[in-house]
Amino acid sequence: MKRNEMDFELFCLHCQEHEEHHFTYINGEISKVKCTNCGHELEFKVDLMKEFSRELYEKIARKPQRLTKEYKEDFSKFISSIPVRIVKKPYSVYRYLKDTRDVFSNYNKK
Ligand SMILES: [Zn+2]
């Protein structure tokens, strides 16, 4: 799960000016737009659990058949078995889970 931030100039309905707006994206979906002039914020609900399971499914789909079958058969059992599997996975997976956890904690902080 990835969080990105970008600035674009946009017309702000709140202060009625063309101003820089700060966009926050989660997995390419806009989650927040903030006017840098008046601070007015627009939030979009991003379903984190849905994003997370979609991403997880995409990762797993590229893994050997056994995992994919297991995943389809019993999602919750598979989820609970993940911590054991991670130990054997490369650093990129660890990094991915750390990023995901960061996104979740930032998202819940507000
Ligand atoms: Zn504004």
Side-chain angles (χ1 to χ4, degrees), residues 98-110:
K98 195 187 165 294
D99 284 350
T100 300
R101 209 173 47 219
D102 289 349
V103 169
F104 269 90
S105 59
N106 283 329
Y107 194 79
N108 292 331
K109 222 177 268 170
K110 290 180 305 197

Side-chain angles (χ1 to χ4, degrees), residues 28-71:
E29 298 279 326
I30 297 170
S31 104
K32 195 165 77 179
V33 181
K34 182 178 181 176
C35 172
T36 57
N37 184 47
C38 70
H40 184 67
E41 266 186 14
L42 266 179
E43 290 206 46
F44 300 86
K45 214 170 155 42
V46 176
D47 190 338
L48 287 186
M49 277 324 286
K50 202 180 105 201
E51 282 298 307
F52 180 60
S53 43
R54 183 177 62 83
E55 235 185 36
L56 202 60
Y57 182 80
E58 279 167 11
K59 281 181 184 294
I60 288 157
R62 285 186 230 115
K63 298 275 187 280
Q65 190 60 24
R66 196 176 62 84
L67 276 184
T68 311
K69 241 170 100 181
E70 211 175 299
Y71 174 85

Side-chain angles (χ1 to χ4, degrees), residues 12-17 19 21 35-40:
C12 176
L13 290 170
H14 199 74
C15 60
Q16 304 282 308
E17 297 284 347
E19 293 292 342
H21 280 66
C35 172
T36 57
N37 184 47
C38 70
H40 184 67

